[in-house]
Amino acid sequence: MIAPIKGLRRLMRLWSIIRVIIQQGLDELFFSIPLLRPVSFIYKLLPWNWVQHEQAPLGVRIRVALEELGPVFIKFGQMLSTRRDLLPDDIALELSRLQDRVPPFASNEARAIIEKAYGQSLNTVFQQFDSEPLASASMAQVHAATLWSGQEVVVKVLRPNLLKTIQQDIEVMYLFAGLVQRYWSEGKRLHPVEIVREYEKTILDELDMQREAANASQLRRNFEGSPDLYVPAIDWQYTRDNVMVMERIYGIPVGDIERLRSLNINFKRLAERGVEIFFTQVFRHNFFHADMHPGNIFVETHNPDDPRYIAVDFGIVGTLSNEDQRYLAENFYAFFNRDYKRVAELHVESGWVPATTRVEELEAAIRTVCEPIFQQPLKDISFGYVLLRLFQTARRFNMEVQPQLVLLQKTLLNIEGLGRQLYPDLDLWATAKPFLQRWMDEQVGIRALWKGVKINAPKFLEQLPYMPSLLHDLAQQAVQHKLTTRFESEQLELLRQQLQYQQRTLVYVLLGGILLISALLVPSNWQLMSWWGISSLSWGLGGMGLGLLIYSVMRSQPKQWST
């Protein structure tokens, strides 16, 4: 009984998503998929498209649709807004305006969640607990409180029944991503399924308050005693899976420029410090706060001439592999020095572009993009704009999107935007280049060699006795590969035939589904016909849709294939 109910809920959610897509006029995107272009005339035949309405720009309609679909889609849109390699400028700009603001849930519900987590009364744990939340977002809300020790804290409480909603919406995202990856010419390069998988991991991590607390503790250790960044302490005694308690901080939101200016804050130092924090986290600690938008950053104003940042909300953090870290650092360094050939070589070596790419052609394309930009004063160069132009150029060379770098790109663009908001003359290059120079010096030479030997020598010595057998196994695998090559080529031909057949079947399924949906929507979207006309049209569309679906089922029966 549970399985049918669960399936019905998924179907209802999918239906609500389709309804929003149609209401915002986004069904035109569906018919832009190459697979459906031969039947794109159906778009004009759908009842709700018979009368032309004045529509907002596409980017606005996408943003409004995501806001209507709820927090999971809002956060996904926020992540996509940094992907200028995927989206046109106007759509990316609209998505950047998405706001993760939702009304708070009832304070008595928050109290009940906390008491259940602790297994005792709220008054036993807290001397004072403010019912009015300090802040409310899609995942959790925050209340001020005071422990019986007198320490002021904040209590972050996860929203109730959130996991089911997220899992339901993620399944729908996987469905759409799979269709895009399979039937859009750019799908393979853009890795939409991997992007959804990366987003799923990120958003599910945000549901674990203990994980967020551990992230905060790690960042606090990394910046212990730092004049650049302060991270509040976690109270582990009162932290659970859905409740987190940490030290309350007092600072001015970094977006409150007027208030900071009234306190004579050194904006130049503050902006440069933000860039230094980013590069320190990425290249020295390899553990970075990946949600550094203005709502999560405050400024400590005890010393206006030497201000310090305070960070909150540690649900999203990022790390890089050693290879990605090195390639990024070398790319940045070569880029700052206008060594375009090395930038091109690194893209090939890292596998970001196909191995068959001609380095000279990629170098020339990168130079064409960058040289006009570098003719401007450095303070006028936007790193975000440079990234955008490079991504657009890389499309010509089939550069594959790197999902593991999504969080890094988002964080870097946030940092630059924040820095220029504080200090418009911020010279990102001059601030970052000395840091990268020091980091590169530490990665090469005798010190780096000795460090590598110390790390890898024990592993090598451990595997040394097994080397002869490993070499023997490798030789056997090479021989076996030759024997299986012919068999695999025959299997690939069978697979090609099956895929072509299934592709045609899918077209019939999609058309049948569209016609059925049209039959259901006609009464609510067409008001110029009589009831008899509406009924006839609904039955006609429904009958054709059902017929196509039945034919699709018959085609999907097992079929014998031969080479």
Side-chain angles (χ1 to χ4, degrees):
M1 185 67 183
I2 296 176
I5 293 176
K6 188 176 181 181
L8 181 60
R9 286 175 179 169
R10 289 176 182 171
L11 189 62
M12 291 175 64
R13 179 56 175 162
L14 182 60
W15 168 250
S16 68
I17 291 171
I18 293 173
R19 180 176 53 79
V20 171
I21 288 174
I22 292 173
Q23 285 178 344
Q24 296 301 326
L26 299 177
D27 46 334
E28 63 178 293
L29 298 178
F30 181 76
F31 286 95
S32 67
I33 298 174
L35 177 67
L36 294 180
R37 281 177 187 163
V39 293
S40 59
F41 64 89
I42 293 178
Y43 172 73
K44 297 293 185 182
L45 299 179
L46 295 175
W48 51 88
N49 293 324
W50 291 353
V51 178
Q52 294 295 322
H53 303 284
E54 186 175 347
Q55 292 183 321
L58 179 60
V60 174
R61 285 182 279 144
I62 292 175
R63 174 179 58 79
V64 172
L66 292 174
E67 288 174 341
E68 287 187 32
L69 291 174
V72 178
F73 285 88
I74 289 174
K75 280 186 168 291
F76 188 65
Q78 288 172 332
M79 184 191 76
L80 284 180
S81 69
T82 65
R83 302 303 306 275
R84 299 302 179 98
D85 53 325
L86 303 180
L87 303 173
D89 292 352
D90 58 329
I91 295 178
L93 180 62
E94 276 299 327
L95 293 185
S96 68
R97 293 172 178 159
L98 285 166
Q99 296 296 316
D100 184 17
R101 295 174 184 168
V102 295
F105 57 93
S107 60
N108 59 343
E109 198 170 3
R111 286 172 174 268
I113 292 172
I114 296 170
E115 289 179 344
K116 183 178 180 181
Y118 294 154
Q120 54 186 318
S121 167
L122 198 71
N123 295 331
T124 306
V125 180
F126 301 110
Q127 183 181 27
Q128 180 184 352
F129 181 87
D130 290 351
S131 297
E132 189 70 23
L134 290 173
S136 174
S138 57
M139 294 293 171
Q141 64 188 37
V142 176
H143 294 261
T146 305
L147 297 172
W148 282 102
S149 64
Q151 181 185 0
E152 291 186 274
V153 295
V154 293
V155 185
K156 188 171 184 178
V157 188
L158 202 65
R159 284 183 174 271
N161 305 318
L162 200 55
L163 182 59
K164 291 180 181 179
T165 303
I166 289 176
Q167 289 175 332
Q168 195 171 273
D169 285 352
I170 289 291
E171 287 175 1
V172 175
M173 287 183 180
Y174 271 123
L175 173 64
F176 287 131
L179 292 173
V180 168
Q181 183 158 307
R182 187 170 181 178
Y183 296 110
W184 188 31
S185 59
E186 291 283 288
K188 184 178 179 182
R189 183 182 72 84
L190 300 177
H191 300 298
V193 174
E194 289 186 36
I195 290 173
V196 173
R197 187 177 296 119
E198 191 78 13
Y199 174 66
E200 178 185 25
K201 178 181 176 297
T202 299
I203 198 168
L204 290 179
D205 285 349
E206 284 195 76
L207 296 181
D208 188 348
M209 292 291 102
Q210 296 227 27
R211 187 185 185 95
E212 179 174 345
N215 293 339
S217 293
Q218 179 68 55
L219 277 171
R220 181 177 172 85
R221 279 198 305 276
N222 291 346
F223 285 94
E224 192 73 45
S226 168
D228 299 328
L229 179 68
Y230 182 78
V231 177
I234 299 295
D235 192 325
W236 283 103
Q237 182 182 356
Y238 299 116
T239 294
R240 303 290 187 271
D241 290 344
N242 57 347
V243 178
M244 183 180 72
V245 175
M246 71 177 186
E247 167 192 4
R248 185 174 185 179
I249 54 96
Y250 290 92
I252 298 175
V254 73
D256 194 347
I257 303 298
E258 291 303 319
R259 191 173 172 194
L260 291 172
R261 185 175 287 117
S262 69
L263 294 172
N264 296 318
I265 295 295
N266 186 336
F267 285 107
K268 181 175 184 295
R269 183 70 193 104
L270 194 62
E272 292 173 346
R273 185 157 272 173
V275 176
E276 292 168 3
I277 289 171
F278 169 78
F279 282 97
T280 298
Q281 290 182 94
V282 173
F283 293 109
R284 183 164 296 164
H285 301 154
N286 194 17
F287 189 83
F288 57 93
H289 191 308
D291 200 15
M292 296 188 73
H293 62 77
N296 290 338
I297 306 295
F298 296 83
V299 179
E300 188 181 79
T301 59
H302 299 317
N303 184 353
D305 198 50
D306 191 29
R308 180 165 68 161
Y309 284 103
I310 306 171
V312 298
D313 196 347
F314 310 97
I316 306 177
V317 297
T319 59
L320 299 174
S321 68
N322 291 334
E323 291 78 14
D324 282 336
Q325 197 180 31
R326 183 173 70 83
Y327 280 123
L328 272 173
E330 289 193 42
N331 261 295
F332 280 135
Y333 191 67
F335 195 72
F336 289 147
N337 288 298
R338 305 194 195 185
D339 186 354
Y340 305 124
K341 183 176 182 180
R342 184 55 184 154
V343 173
E345 290 172 344
L346 286 165
H347 275 66
V348 176
E349 291 173 12
S350 64
W352 295 350
V353 295
T356 55
T357 302
R358 293 186 59 183
V359 172
E360 295 79 10
E361 291 182 2
L362 182 57
E363 175 192 359
I366 294 172
R367 181 183 295 109
T368 301
V369 169
C370 296
E371 275 303 309
I373 297 173
F374 275 120
Q375 298 308 311
Q376 307 173 47
L378 286 176
K379 66 180 180 63
D380 294 335
I381 298 175
S382 164
F383 193 76
Y385 178 71
V386 173
L387 275 180
L388 168 63
R389 293 299 311 278
L390 283 174
F391 283 140
Q392 291 173 338
T393 301
R395 285 181 186 174
R396 294 166 36 208
F397 295 88
N398 297 316
M399 177 178 173
E400 295 195 1
V401 174
Q402 305 300 312
Q404 75 275 18
L405 302 182
V406 170
L407 289 177
L408 182 72
Q409 294 172 17
K410 169 189 171 185
T411 305
L412 179 56
L413 293 174
N414 278 344
I415 287 294
E416 183 182 33
L418 178 63
R420 291 190 184 277
Q421 181 184 9
L422 293 171
Y423 184 68
D425 291 337
L426 172 67
D427 188 342
L428 179 70
W429 314 97
T431 306
K433 188 174 178 179
F435 184 95
L436 286 173
Q437 178 69 65
R438 290 195 304 270
W439 189 86
M440 293 289 293
D441 291 343
E442 292 172 0
Q443 302 304 308
V444 298
I446 296 177
R447 281 190 301 171
L449 178 62
W450 177 241
K451 180 181 177 182
V453 168
K454 286 195 297 183
I455 292 174
N456 294 304
K459 299 178 184 177
F460 178 77
L461 293 173
E462 181 183 350
Q463 296 294 327
L464 189 60
Y466 304 101
M467 286 296 178
S469 62
L470 290 173
L471 291 172
H472 179 262
D473 292 343
L474 184 62
Q476 282 189 322
Q477 290 173 13
V479 172
Q480 183 66 25
H481 176 70
K482 292 180 181 178
L483 295 175
T484 57
T485 300
R486 180 179 175 183
F487 174 76
E488 288 176 353
S489 64
E490 294 175 354
Q491 295 298 309
L492 285 173
E493 176 59 24
L494 289 175
L495 180 61
R496 185 187 66 80
Q497 293 179 23
Q498 292 173 1
L499 285 176
Q500 287 181 342
Y501 190 82
Q502 291 172 3
Q503 188 175 26
R504 288 193 293 270
T505 302
L506 181 63
V507 171
Y508 293 129
V509 171
L510 292 173
L511 292 178
I514 291 170
L515 291 172
L516 277 177
I517 291 172
S518 302
L520 294 171
L521 289 177
V522 163
S524 60
N525 287 276
W526 186 252
Q527 300 174 354
L528 301 180
M529 297 175 62
S530 66
W531 172 249
W532 172 252
I534 291 174
S535 300
S536 301
L537 181 60
S538 297
W539 279 105
L541 291 173
M544 288 188 291
L546 187 60
L548 280 173
L549 289 175
I550 293 173
Y551 179 61
S552 303
V553 172
M554 294 173 62
R555 283 176 60 90
S556 66
Q557 298 304 312
K559 179 178 174 65
Q560 296 296 321
W561 302 93
S562 60
T563 54

